[in-house]
Amino acid sequence: MNGAVAPCYTVNMDGFDLPGVAAGALLQRQQDRHGFSSGSSRARRVSFLVFVVLPTLVAAVYFGLFAAPQYVSQAQFVVRGQGNQSPGMLSSLLTVGGGSSASEDTYAVQNFIMSRDAAQEMLQQQDLRAVFDRPEADPLSRFPGVFRSQTFESFFRFYQKHIIAELDSTTSISTLTVRTFRAQDSQRVAVAELKAAEQLINRMNDRQRENTISASVREVSLAESHLRSISAQMAEYRNREALLDPLKQSEPMLKAITDLQAMVTSTQVQLAQLEVSTPNSPMIAVYKRRMSALLAQIANASGGITGSDTSLVPKITAYEDLTVQRELAEKELLVAATAMQTAKTQADRQLMYLDEISQPNRPDYASYPRSTVSVLVVFASFLGLYLMGRLLINGAREHQLV
């Protein structure tokens, strides 16, 4: 302070001479860093035990001692139709992956099994809530359990995790997987799911068949109504005119007129011969009177057939009109019936059915939980999180030092 100069010392550090003040600061920093490193090592060990080892031990204890065994029953099925045709070579080449594409009906069945309707149906028919709440089930695995509510939506999410329908789009084979806490429950629920799928296919077949033949059935009904109407008109006509068939009833009258005309012709020939051979024969007058009588009979018979409104001609005309209408109605009914039969045949070809490739099995041992795999997954997950956290913390510290 009074012009005195502070003593200056030099310290050799790796071949370099440093002033005493700077050397002291550097030594102090190295000592602090060494102390901090030893403290950080202890913190890392503690954090590793807390964030990695402890969760792994908890998982090992849970899966080893408390996790309830779960049994899996599987079944395979395919939805087929009698009208389905196997794909040709060109279509197989054009299909992605070279396999046949799964039909929409198969996807419909798969979506139904995983739907709320199927879950509700299983609740009512198989008491699925009791199946998922067996006494041997642990609190974390059962329904409702610790973290699940009693609502249907919570049950539906649980249902979708334990009952799964998967489709192989290459082979069009669907696999049904049911997982419960008892082997017999898994098999029973799987059988019920397949029956529900068959009932869905039957309902789809009924709707498809009804849609296919409904128009043809309506056409047949209309044709039958038209034919019945014409038949009623013919019955009314017969009762009114007191004629069963004017055409057939006029045939004897026409035959009689024809016979009378033949007799007139014969009489004319005989009369002509007498007039030539014996002009004064008394038979000439007889033949003339006969011919007049025959002509009168012909005129009378012809008047009953033609000439007036009460003759057979107007009646025959009206009857023929009704006959033509009836023939057209019969042909219309025949065409409609043929079309309906064709529609029924086509509908039968389009029927679908569920073909079970493998029946639901009764498992001999529990497939879940997979204790070793689950513990390793927990260990790997928490170890990854721990390492990630260490990297972030070290990066932040290095940034502060700089």
Side-chain angles (χ1 to χ4, degrees):
M1 295 188 43
N2 296 324
V5 178
C8 181
Y9 301 98
T10 60
V11 179
N12 186 273
M13 295 291 294
D14 295 333
F16 295 95
D17 294 333
L18 297 177
V21 175
L26 180 60
L27 289 174
Q28 184 66 33
R29 183 178 299 177
Q30 289 179 350
Q31 291 175 358
D32 293 341
R33 183 175 297 176
H34 178 71
F36 178 77
S37 298
S38 61
S40 298
S41 298
R42 288 192 298 270
R44 282 197 297 270
R45 287 194 295 270
V46 172
S47 62
F48 181 80
L49 291 174
V50 172
F51 292 106
V52 179
V53 177
L54 182 61
T56 303
L57 289 176
V58 172
V61 171
Y62 168 73
F63 287 109
L65 300 179
F66 299 102
Q70 301 179 32
Y71 300 87
V72 174
S73 178
Q74 282 190 342
Q76 289 185 327
F77 63 91
V78 62
V79 178
R80 302 184 186 275
Q82 295 180 1
N84 295 344
Q85 300 292 334
S86 58
M89 182 180 297
L90 181 59
S91 62
S92 298
L93 293 176
L94 294 177
T95 304
V96 178
S100 59
S101 60
S103 65
E104 296 179 357
D105 301 324
T106 305
Y107 282 110
V109 173
Q110 176 189 357
N111 292 335
F112 169 76
I113 293 176
M114 301 296 297
S115 68
R116 289 176 171 82
D117 292 340
Q120 190 69 39
E121 187 172 344
M122 292 299 106
L123 273 175
Q124 297 174 358
Q125 297 181 1
Q126 301 298 322
D127 195 10
L128 206 56
R129 188 181 296 271
V131 170
F132 290 143
D133 193 19
R134 295 299 186 190
E136 60 267 26
D138 63 274
L140 295 180
S141 300
R142 63 156 45 103
F143 180 84
V146 178
F147 303 106
R148 302 180 185 92
S149 63
Q150 294 279 357
T151 62
F152 178 75
E153 288 300 321
S154 179
F155 171 81
F156 179 63
R157 289 191 294 269
F158 188 86
Y159 171 89
Q160 288 185 318
K161 293 179 181 179
H162 288 74
I163 298 179
I164 301 173
E166 296 177 327
L167 173 66
D168 187 348
S169 58
T170 303
T171 60
S172 298
I173 296 177
S174 298
T175 301
L176 172 65
T177 303
V178 177
R179 175 161 56 98
T180 67
F181 300 103
R182 293 179 182 177
Q184 59 271 24
D185 286 344
S186 297
Q187 185 183 33
R188 178 169 55 84
V189 173
V191 171
E193 290 283 358
L194 290 180
K195 289 183 178 178
E198 288 181 347
Q199 293 175 358
L200 171 68
I201 291 177
N202 292 335
R203 293 194 297 269
M204 294 172 64
N205 285 333
D206 293 339
R207 287 195 298 267
Q208 184 176 2
R209 183 181 179 85
E210 182 180 358
N211 294 334
T212 302
I213 68 175
S214 59
S216 300
V217 171
R218 287 194 298 269
E219 292 296 332
V220 171
S221 179
L222 291 175
E224 290 177 345
S225 299
H226 188 204
L227 182 58
R228 283 194 296 268
S229 176
I230 295 175
S231 298
Q233 293 177 18
M234 293 186 71
E236 181 184 0
Y237 170 84
R238 287 167 175 167
N239 292 328
R240 184 179 67 251
E241 301 296 338
L243 294 172
L244 293 177
D245 191 344
L247 291 174
K248 292 182 178 180
Q249 289 181 285
S250 65
E251 290 179 359
M253 302 177 64
L254 293 174
K255 186 176 183 303
I257 293 174
T258 302
D259 294 338
L260 290 173
Q261 289 176 345
M263 293 173 65
V264 168
T265 302
S266 175
T267 303
Q268 287 177 345
V269 171
Q270 292 177 0
L271 179 60
Q273 290 177 353
L274 285 175
E275 289 178 344
V276 172
S277 61
T278 55
N280 298 321
S281 174
M283 293 298 298
I284 293 177
V286 176
Y287 281 119
K288 286 182 178 181
R289 288 194 297 270
R290 180 185 295 178
M291 189 168 60
S292 298
L294 291 174
L295 291 174
Q297 290 181 0
I298 291 173
N300 186 22
S302 299
I305 297 177
T306 60
S308 64
D309 295 338
T310 59
S311 63
L312 285 177
V313 171
K315 298 177 181 179
I316 291 174
T317 303
Y319 184 78
E320 286 181 341
D321 183 40
L322 292 174
T323 302
V324 171
Q325 292 183 21
R326 184 179 65 180
E327 291 177 354
L328 293 176
E330 289 175 349
K331 292 181 180 179
E332 181 182 0
L333 178 59
L334 179 61
V335 171
T338 303
M340 184 179 67
Q341 186 62 37
T342 303
K344 288 182 178 180
T345 303
Q346 184 67 23
D348 292 337
R349 291 178 180 175
Q350 294 176 352
L351 290 179
M352 302 173 296
Y353 61 95
L354 189 145
D355 188 6
E356 296 183 8
I357 299 177
S358 61
Q359 298 287 335
N361 66 304
R362 175 173 291 190
D364 297 330
Y365 59 91
S367 301
Y368 292 90
R370 298 173 179 172
S371 302
T372 304
V373 175
S374 300
V375 171
L376 290 178
V377 168
V378 171
F379 173 75
S381 300
F382 280 93
L383 179 61
L385 293 175
Y386 171 78
L387 294 178
M388 227 188 235
R390 289 299 308 163
L391 288 176
L392 293 175
I393 293 173
N394 291 337
R397 286 176 177 173
E398 291 179 359
H399 179 73
Q400 289 178 357
L401 291 176
V402 174

